[in-house]
Amino acid sequence: MSKVKPFKLGFVDFATKDVGKLRNYYTEIMGYKFVEQDNEGKVYLSNGLDHHNIVISPCENNGVQSYGYQLDGQMSLEDVQKQLKAQGIDSSIKRDAKPGLSEFLELTDPAGNLLQLYLKMDEAAIGFGSSGILPFKLGHVAFHAENYAKTIDFYQEVLGFHFTDMIGPNLANFLTCNADHHVINIVKSNQTKLHHIAFQLKDASHHITSADYLVKNGYPILWGPSRHTAGHN
């Protein structure tokens, strides 16, 4: 029997009070390219391959609105929904509800994060950026999670993630759905919120030039470039 299996973190949808400011950061500093803006004011940005990797949504509060994961294609969304239902997990299939995605399955993890699972995404057809940091891809997200143990079980038992590492006893748990050391980092907390988002760079020299670029554009480096223990990033 096939199992639900994401194979990559596809996009992050940020809610923000200031769409213009965040759009400028991701286009002018990070080097993502503008794809389109929908009738709700949501801005879609791409690193040049997928239709979008970053979504910026107008909202009264700042935070993460949703995370998108691409599935391996071994199951239809209808079959995924049936499997989730058998485990007592509610979900809904949405069609033509988001640019670049003809359909996706929406559900909530035990921490309260909104997840959107999809099989394929339109290509951006805008080419790669030529200025800015220009990250290779979204690397991972780390989030504080209430219902810490249940959330870890959900990603392992329901979505097929694998445990790879941890920091301290029950402080932070590292999970992956592909060959990367981790795609998500779940941090124990009494409130769910974003801890950090990581972008993969090409090599060590890209780290150095990125740090220089940030400082020159008024974004101070808080720590690094360096390594941390889990995953030796």
Side-chain angles (χ1 to χ4, degrees):
M1 179 180 177
S2 297
K3 292 186 177 181
V4 181
K5 181 60 179 172
F7 77 91
K8 78 170 184 177
L9 172 65
F11 64 86
V12 178
D13 185 337
F14 291 106
T16 179
K17 298 176 183 178
D18 193 334
V19 171
K21 185 176 181 179
L22 198 56
R23 171 178 169 173
N24 182 73
Y25 174 78
Y26 276 104
T27 54
E28 301 301 319
I29 304 301
M30 294 296 290
Y32 278 76
K33 297 192 74 173
F34 173 78
V35 178
E36 63 177 295
Q37 185 167 3
D38 68 16
N39 55 15
E40 295 179 354
K42 290 176 175 281
V43 173
Y44 294 81
L45 307 176
S46 174
N47 70 353
L49 294 175
D50 296 329
H51 178 274
H52 58 271
N53 308 106
I54 299 293
V55 183
I56 303 173
S57 299
C59 187
E60 293 183 358
N61 298 303
N62 295 325
V64 172
Q65 189 149 288
S66 64
Y67 299 102
Y69 292 95
Q70 187 169 2
L71 302 177
D72 66 0
Q74 297 303 306
M75 299 173 64
S76 67
L77 290 185
E78 288 78 10
D79 287 339
V80 171
Q81 187 175 44
K82 289 177 183 177
Q83 195 169 112
L84 293 174
K85 186 176 181 179
Q87 298 177 76
I89 299 169
D90 292 330
S91 64
S92 60
I93 295 177
K94 298 193 173 183
R95 294 183 170 88
D96 299 321
K98 184 187 289 284
L101 292 176
S102 60
E103 61 178 6
F104 58 87
L105 186 70
E106 191 169 83
L107 66 152
T108 304
D109 71 15
N113 294 307
L114 186 65
L115 308 182
Q116 295 174 341
L117 309 180
Y118 62 95
L119 296 174
K120 58 184 178 179
M121 179 184 285
D122 294 345
E123 294 181 0
I126 57 169
F128 296 98
S130 56
S131 64
I133 290 174
L134 302 172
F136 180 64
K137 68 173 184 177
L138 287 176
H140 65 264
V141 292
F143 58 89
H144 296 276
E146 56 180 335
N147 297 321
Y148 176 71
K150 289 182 178 180
T151 302
I152 292 171
D153 288 343
F154 169 85
Y155 280 96
Q156 290 186 281
E157 301 301 324
V158 177
L159 295 186
F161 280 68
H162 301 286
F163 168 82
T164 58
D165 216 335
M166 65 188 302
I167 294 178
N170 298 320
L171 292 179
N173 202 294
F174 295 77
L175 303 173
T176 191
C177 62
N178 53 39
D180 294 340
H181 178 272
H182 56 281
V183 175
I184 56 174
N185 175 10
I186 303 172
V187 182
K188 189 174 184 179
S189 180
N190 58 6
Q191 180 184 9
T192 297
K193 61 181 180 179
L194 181 68
H195 183 282
H196 68 263
I197 181 169
F199 297 85
Q200 185 174 338
L201 303 181
K202 297 179 179 65
D203 52 29
S205 64
H206 195 179
H207 243 147
I208 303 302
T209 57
S210 297
D212 287 346
Y213 191 82
L214 286 166
V215 171
K216 288 176 181 177
N217 284 276
Y219 293 90
I221 304 299
L222 300 181
W223 183 77
S226 186
R227 294 180 181 270
H228 67 63
T229 54
H232 301 285
N233 290 6

